[in-house]
Amino acid sequence: MKNQETIRFALFSEVFAAIAHPKRLEIIHYLGEGQKTASELTELTGMSKANVSQHMNILKARGLVHCDKCGTFCHYRLTSPKVLEVCEIVRELILDQMQITAHNHAVLSTVVTLHKKGTA
């Protein structure tokens, strides 16, 4: 049982590691709009073709992206809408954290500062 849990957590970790890079998140964002070729992703992201290829290999190895060959072109697409759902959940988590931080900042900014005796 413990070994199965270790394997499960390792698989989770591999998927999260694949999406943990800002440029890969950017690629996922663009693929969320529809399938794209490597040339289109190169233009959209400002990365070199070699760099896009490296990132795509990581995303493909983790089963997040699929390549449909069409002649000499490879059309990349997300393997599931759940890839975007995961990114959206993380975005919402970040926004929640930012809201809590902003609220705490507002509360703290209303606290009256303490002055030492003999000052002020």
Side-chain angles (χ1 to χ4, degrees):
M1 183 71 167
K2 191 70 166 172
N3 192 33
Q4 289 176 344
E5 286 181 5
T6 301
I7 292 169
R8 182 182 63 178
F9 290 130
L11 291 171
F12 278 31
S13 176
E14 289 176 9
V15 170
F16 281 116
I19 62 174
H21 193 283
K23 284 297 184 180
R24 288 195 285 273
L25 284 170
E26 186 177 354
I27 289 168
I28 288 169
H29 167 78
Y30 288 122
L31 293 178
E33 298 172 349
Q35 71 178 12
K36 305 273 188 272
T37 64
S39 295
E40 290 171 322
L41 290 170
T42 297
E43 185 176 323
L44 289 166
T45 62
M47 292 188 288
S48 68
K49 273 195 173 185
N51 205 346
V52 167
S53 178
Q54 289 174 343
H55 287 298
M56 295 311 293
N57 286 335
I58 292 168
L59 293 170
K60 286 189 303 183
R62 296 300 167 249
L64 303 172
V65 169
H66 180 75
C67 172
D68 294 313
K69 291 280 188 181
C70 185
T72 58
F73 290 99
C74 185
H75 295 271
Y76 294 102
R77 61 179 171 80
L78 296 177
T79 57
S80 169
K82 291 180 181 181
V83 175
L84 287 177
E85 289 174 25
V86 168
C87 293
E88 180 59 21
I89 289 168
V90 172
R91 185 186 76 83
E92 289 172 4
L93 177 65
I94 292 167
L95 289 173
D96 289 349
Q97 291 171 344
M98 291 172 72
Q99 189 174 24
I100 290 168
T101 301
H103 172 74
N104 289 343
H105 182 271
V107 169
L108 288 173
S109 67
T110 62
V111 173
V112 177
T113 57
L114 299 175
H115 297 284
K116 293 181 180 178
K117 287 185 178 181
T119 61

